[in-house]
Amino acid sequence: MVSLVLARTVIGIIGNIIALFLFLSPLPTFVTIWKRGSVEQYSPIPYLATLVNCLVWVLYGLPVVHPGSILVITINAAGTLIELVYIILFFVFSDRKKRMKVLLVLLIELVFITVLTLLVLFIFHTHSKRSMVVGTICILFNIGMYASPLAVMNLLLFSLLILVSFMWFPINQEKLVIKTKSVEYMPLSLSVASFANGVAWTIYALLPLDPYILIPNGLGTLFGLAQLILYASFYKSTKLQKEEREGKGQVVLSDQLVTNGKECWKNDNIESGNPRAEVHGA
């Protein structure tokens, strides 16, 4: 029994480390945003989705809901703080229209988590019932967050009322990748981290069995594996497309232009029709 608890703790710590890397993976994106002074075509949806996901998992890990889940609390509390920093930066460097959208979704999320917490604590009076209610919601949010790295084609306005829409993201992105034969908008580091994170927390959920952690992370492992397979399948064609585009003198997002002595940046997504969004999850 002691060895089982120790093994679960070790796996949980490893899961915390991997998930922390996953939370920090968008840092280069925000460094770019900071330097350019604009969010350009980046989407806030992944960060808002990850924030509410972390909040519900913190609630799930509380002793009054699901005792013995301190490692679930630690990583998701850290994730909450990190995502708040991202959202603040996104807010600062957005135009007024985007700011209003971010504030609206953030308000909806805060109201949701407050109402959920009150309902769980005052209506359900046993750990099993509280774990079932919060755990079921966690499954929906976690699946959505794992799927979000595949959501480049569908920059839908995040809403708590259409959580099921996250399930369309992998399908649509797979169509995009297959159609364009390009994985340019599906970062490899995020796919690897998502896969490793899913594996770690799947093992954690089996020691002992916790279906509310097992289900979303088991599916997250499959999502991560699917992304890696797609990346391996279309890596060469993506490289050839980039070389061909650069050979024709087309401007890519990372290229800097100088016009009349002033630095400016040009979006490369006009030709492809795909707004670029760096996404992540845990």
Side-chain angles (χ1 to χ4, degrees), residues 55-69 72-73 113 116-122 124-138 210 212:
L55 288 172
V56 292
W57 276 111
V58 168
L59 177 60
Y60 178 83
L62 293 177
V64 293
V65 177
H66 195 82
S69 302
V72 174
I73 296 178
I113 197 67
L116 177 62
T117 301
L118 293 176
L119 289 176
V120 168
L121 295 181
F122 291 103
F124 303 99
H125 302 291
T126 64
H127 288 147
S128 60
K129 290 183 178 179
R130 290 173 176 174
S131 296
M132 179 184 68
V133 173
V134 181
T136 301
I137 295 174
C138 285
D210 186 331
Y212 303 113

Side-chain angles (χ1 to χ4, degrees), residues 80-136:
T80 297
L81 294 176
I82 293 171
E83 298 307 317
L84 282 173
V85 172
Y86 292 155
I87 292 170
I88 290 172
L89 288 173
F90 198 96
F91 182 85
V92 170
F93 293 106
S94 295
D95 56 32
R96 185 176 182 277
K97 185 177 180 180
K98 287 184 178 179
R99 287 178 180 176
M100 294 305 296
K101 289 182 179 180
V102 170
L103 282 177
L104 176 61
V105 177
L106 188 59
L107 179 61
I108 293 174
E109 292 182 351
L110 293 178
V111 170
F112 171 79
I113 197 67
T114 300
V115 172
L116 177 62
T117 301
L118 293 176
L119 289 176
V120 168
L121 295 181
F122 291 103
I123 294 181
F124 303 99
H125 302 291
T126 64
H127 288 147
S128 60
K129 290 183 178 179
R130 290 173 176 174
S131 296
M132 179 184 68
V133 173
V134 181
T136 301

Side-chain angles (χ1 to χ4, degrees), residues 9-21:
T9 301
V10 171
I11 295 298
I13 293 174
I14 294 174
N16 270 240
I17 295 172
I18 297 174
L20 183 61
F21 168 76

